[in-house]
Amino acid sequence: MHRRTDPADARAIEASLELAGERAGDLTPRVYELLFERQPEMKPHFWRDQNGAIKGEMLMRVFEAILDFIGERQYAHRLIQCEVVTHAGYDVPPDVFATFFGLVGEVVREACGDAWTREVDAAWKRVLADLDFFVTHPDQAVAA
């Protein structure tokens, strides 16, 4: 089994997510602004999302997955693997899917501003690397 998140890293990430929410409110517009800026081929996939509800729902699921992943890890690692495969069916290449967690971390960092410490940065880097393992290994038999 893949190693669990260090509790100190989990606390740092949780605190950064809370602070980002307090300081910036809904992070959805900024996350998708960056996604479409860096991966413009993804914008047409959201043609039906006229009011942002789909993007908001997807980001909420990402936050839930991150919190489970850094916590009890009851489902997030398997969910990530399944979503890589599901998104490939929507013509979202795994390498594009893999960038999303990093974009979220970047937007959280922006929102935290001067409260983003070296410790928080290091915690996010470690967790993003751990998340990346499950993104790049969607075969659950291989990643077990």
Side-chain angles (χ1 to χ4, degrees):
M1 185 76 179
H2 206 263
R3 73 178 182 86
R4 301 274 189 218
T5 302
D6 179 271
D9 285 353
R11 286 189 299 275
I13 290 168
E14 249 183 86
S16 70
L17 289 169
E18 285 180 29
L19 183 60
E22 290 169 10
R23 288 188 173 181
D26 184 5
L27 302 178
T28 306
R30 181 63 179 143
V31 167
Y32 283 90
E33 175 187 3
L34 282 182
L35 175 66
F36 299 152
E37 183 180 292
R38 295 180 187 167
Q39 306 285 342
E41 69 277 13
M42 291 298 101
K43 191 169 187 173
H45 289 280
F46 292 89
W47 66 273
R48 288 193 288 180
D49 190 19
Q50 299 300 310
N51 64 3
I54 294 170
K55 292 185 282 291
E57 171 79 14
M58 288 176 61
L59 186 59
M60 180 193 72
R61 301 270 179 218
V62 167
F63 287 138
E64 289 173 349
I66 290 171
L67 290 171
D68 179 73
F69 190 83
I70 65 173
E72 295 182 26
R73 204 174 286 186
Q74 294 180 344
Y75 68 90
H77 56 301
R78 299 292 183 227
L79 174 70
I80 292 162
Q81 291 172 311
C82 289
E83 288 301 320
V84 170
V85 174
T86 299
H87 280 73
Y90 299 135
D91 295 323
V92 176
D95 60 317
V96 172
F97 186 90
T99 66
F100 199 76
F101 287 109
L103 286 174
V104 170
E106 190 174 329
V107 171
V108 170
R109 183 180 69 229
E110 286 177 5
C112 288
D114 60 353
W116 188 269
T117 64
R118 279 186 291 218
E119 292 79 17
V120 173
D121 191 63
W124 269 94
K125 284 179 180 170
R126 284 188 288 273
V127 167
L128 288 172
D130 288 347
L131 285 164
D132 189 58
F133 173 83
F134 292 98
V135 171
T136 59
H137 295 85
D139 183 344
Q140 294 181 5
V142 173

